[in-house]
Amino acid sequence: MGKCNVVLVLLPNMGKASAASAAASLRSSYPRVSLALLVGICGAVPFAGPERDPIVLGDVIISNLVVQYDLGRALPDRFVRKDTAHNSLGRSNRIIRKILIKLDTDIDREHIEKRAGDFLKALQTKSEEKAKRKRRGRHTSYKYPGAANDLLFPARYRHKHASGSGCRTCEDCHGNADPACDESLTLSCKELECDTSCVIRREHLESASNDPMADSDSEGVFFFIGAIGSGDSVIRSGEHRDQIAKQAGVIAFEMEGAGVWDEVPCIVIKGVCDYADSHKNKGWQNYAAATAASVAKAVMERYVASARVSDSSQATGNAAAAVRDHSFLPRPRFCRPWRYSRPDQPEGGREAVCACDGDEQGEARGRSSRHAGRHGQPGINLQEPRPVGRGREAVCAGDGDEQGEARGRSSLDVDEHGQPGCNSTSRRREWGC
């Protein structure tokens, strides 16, 4: 993508163990991977705090921290999570923190959301065109399911058969500790006839129509940045969800982030497909996966552009510094700075004094200064002899890296210019070295 090489990894299974194994294999095969984007779906906490806007289905969560909420001790009366510094996952590196800070600014947020909306529309169009060409088999649809299907019930409202349905187990289910029948777990709210009068009303969804194209926000895909809870269990309890969210400070739940977080530099990007309550269903999974992939592509696009500008600025700064103080190569081992226009030289005369101290430097110079001039100094390639000292000439033989490297290999007993017997102080002074 752009000038960056991108590696795609498809996880074989859900859970932290599978994600950790894939991340370790990725790091072993590609040790120079600088950023990993873990893209998928998650369950969200609808009201994460008074300072945050409500999260709805189809929104995207970007992690600034991953919390392993299922690591702890199961006591007879409660579960105690291990949240000490030694048991918690580490924070992200400086590069990722910089990316997240930029994403949280108004300019970058608007840009990412708009670009993600464009990518989502392109993905939906491509999926529809592919469905028209297929004569048989099923295809994946990434259409917006509609605001009418975005139902949020109170945390205490259980997903079960309605009264009078004939299910004895569901009729005896009155509290959170009471079980519901297994059949109710596979049925939708419409099939179970859940009481829609208990649905929590949200203003921005009330004004939306039932047309899928009209429901998709014209401003793009909205995303939230916050802590994500990661564990091997699927949360399907509204009360349990709110309890963990309050204790750990998370705004969403998923199952792979904890396995990848400490293996490679990682950002978790997950689309919201449910509210992690008992009314969880798979109706929003395809659309949520599409919104997460769209945001991931927009973030990657922004990351590549920032990296390109950063690399260009860094290269320009390095070149400027090298011209000023010749700091391309470490001074203790390679050529020391050149000096020009000594006062004791005739007018118009110019002196180029090489400060080489041995063939080891010439050999190292031959290995490392592939794109620099002789001695690794930009713009100081002597093509003709320069008058120095007492009218004698001292021409450095390092007219290319091949010569410097060959001199390092073969001239072990000669001086830095390939001239025998020039290592004494008097001869150095005579030759201008």
Side-chain angles (χ1 to χ4, degrees), residues 60-128:
V60 177
I61 309 298
I62 299 179
S63 68
N64 58 10
L65 181 66
V66 172
V67 179
Q68 193 172 356
Y69 65 86
D70 60 351
L71 178 64
R73 299 181 178 90
L75 302 179
D77 58 334
R78 66 189 185 281
F79 177 83
V80 179
R81 187 173 64 88
K82 290 186 177 181
D83 56 356
T84 62
H86 294 286
N87 297 314
S88 301
L89 298 174
R91 71 171 184 172
S92 54
N93 60 28
R94 182 181 59 84
I95 296 177
I96 293 180
R97 295 199 303 271
K98 183 178 179 181
I99 294 174
L100 296 177
I101 290 176
K102 290 188 63 179
L103 291 180
D104 207 18
T105 60
D106 292 339
I107 295 177
D108 276 48
R109 180 179 288 273
E110 293 177 359
H111 176 81
I112 293 296
E113 291 176 345
K114 183 178 183 304
R115 291 294 292 163
D118 296 338
F119 293 143
L120 177 61
K121 292 179 181 178
L123 182 61
Q124 292 171 335
T125 302
K126 187 175 181 179
S127 176
E128 294 175 359

Side-chain angles (χ1 to χ4, degrees), residues 3 60 78 107 150 158 162 166 183 187 196 210 248 256 273 285 325 333 339 341 381 414:
K3 293 186 178 181
V60 177
R78 66 189 185 281
I107 295 177
D150 188 351
R158 293 289 298 275
E183 183 184 5
L187 300 178
T196 56
N210 292 326
E256 294 82 22
C273 65
Q285 288 187 356
D325 59 10
R333 292 293 300 168
R339 302 182 296 277
S341 304
N381 288 327
V414 297

Side-chain angles (χ1 to χ4, degrees), residues 389-400:
R390 304 173 183 173
R392 302 284 297 276
E393 290 180 347
V395 182
C396 179
D399 289 335

Side-chain angles (χ1 to χ4, degrees), residues 316-334:
T316 304
N318 288 343
V323 171
R324 182 175 64 253
D325 59 10
H326 314 300
S327 60
F328 263 129
L329 301 176
R331 293 189 178 186
R333 292 293 300 168
F334 301 111

Side-chain angles (χ1 to χ4, degrees), residues 98-368:
K98 183 178 179 181
I99 294 174
L100 296 177
I101 290 176
K102 290 188 63 179
L103 291 180
D104 207 18
T105 60
D106 292 339
I107 295 177
D108 276 48
R109 180 179 288 273
E110 293 177 359
H111 176 81
I112 293 296
E113 291 176 345
K114 183 178 183 304
R115 291 294 292 163
D118 296 338
F119 293 143
L120 177 61
K121 292 179 181 178
L123 182 61
Q124 292 171 335
T125 302
K126 187 175 181 179
S127 176
E128 294 175 359
E129 293 176 352
K130 187 177 180 180
K132 293 179 181 179
R133 294 194 301 266
K134 294 183 68 174
R135 294 186 300 174
R136 59 183 179 180
R138 62 178 184 178
H139 70 281
T140 303
S141 175
Y142 301 109
K143 289 184 178 180
Y144 181 67
N149 295 318
D150 188 351
L151 303 178
L152 175 60
F153 290 90
R156 291 181 174 273
Y157 187 86
R158 293 289 298 275
H159 185 72
K160 60 179 184 177
H161 286 96
S163 300
S165 62
C167 179
R168 185 68 178 176
T169 304
C170 290
E171 289 182 356
D172 294 338
C173 179
H174 302 290
N176 191 37
D178 299 331
C181 70
D182 294 337
E183 183 184 5
S184 63
L185 299 177
T186 61
L187 300 178
S188 64
C189 291
K190 184 177 181 180
E191 294 172 328
L192 291 178
E193 299 180 354
C194 292
D195 189 3
T196 56
S197 62
C198 297
V199 173
I200 299 176
R201 307 297 177 182
R202 288 160 291 178
E203 296 180 359
H204 58 288
L205 292 180
E206 289 291 332
S207 59
S209 65
N210 292 326
D211 183 14
M213 294 303 297
D215 280 340
S216 57
D217 203 308
S218 59
E219 297 181 3
V221 180
F222 291 96
F223 67 89
F224 296 81
I225 299 177
I228 294 182
S230 182
D232 285 324
S233 59
V234 178
I235 305 296
R236 295 197 61 166
S237 170
E239 292 182 321
H240 193 199
R241 172 202 67 197
D242 293 342
Q243 180 182 2
I244 298 176
K246 183 178 180 180
Q247 293 175 354
V250 299
I251 63 174
F253 298 92
E254 56 88 52
M255 300 179 65
E256 294 82 22
V260 181
W261 189 260
D262 278 348
E263 292 289 340
V264 292
C266 175
I267 298 178
V268 181
I269 301 177
K270 296 295 184 80
V272 178
C273 65
D274 58 72
Y275 294 116
D277 57 4
S278 59
H279 304 273
K280 170 185 172 68
N281 62 79
K282 298 183 178 181
W284 285 81
Q285 288 187 356
N286 291 341
Y287 179 76
T291 57
S294 301
V295 171
K297 187 175 181 179
V299 170
M300 187 65 186
E301 181 184 60
R302 199 67 166 175
Y303 170 76
V304 171
S306 301
R308 189 181 303 137
V309 172
S310 177
D311 292 344
S312 176
S313 302
Q314 184 178 2
T316 304
N318 288 343
V323 171
R324 182 175 64 253
D325 59 10
H326 314 300
S327 60
F328 263 129
L329 301 176
R331 293 189 178 186
R333 292 293 300 168
F334 301 111
C335 291
R336 293 190 291 274
W338 292 76
R339 302 182 296 277
Y340 302 103
S341 304
R342 280 177 49 178
D344 57 344
Q345 294 299 316
E347 183 178 358
R350 195 176 188 189
E351 181 187 27
V353 181
C354 175
C356 294
D357 289 329
D359 294 301
E360 295 84 6
Q361 297 175 354
E363 183 179 3
R365 187 168 60 253
R367 291 195 306 266
S368 61

Side-chain angles (χ1 to χ4, degrees), residues 45-49 52-56 59 152 202-204 224 275:
V45 181
F47 302 104
R52 292 182 181 270
D53 294 330
I55 300 176
V56 300
D59 289 344
L152 175 60
R202 288 160 291 178
E203 296 180 359
H204 58 288
F224 296 81
Y275 294 116

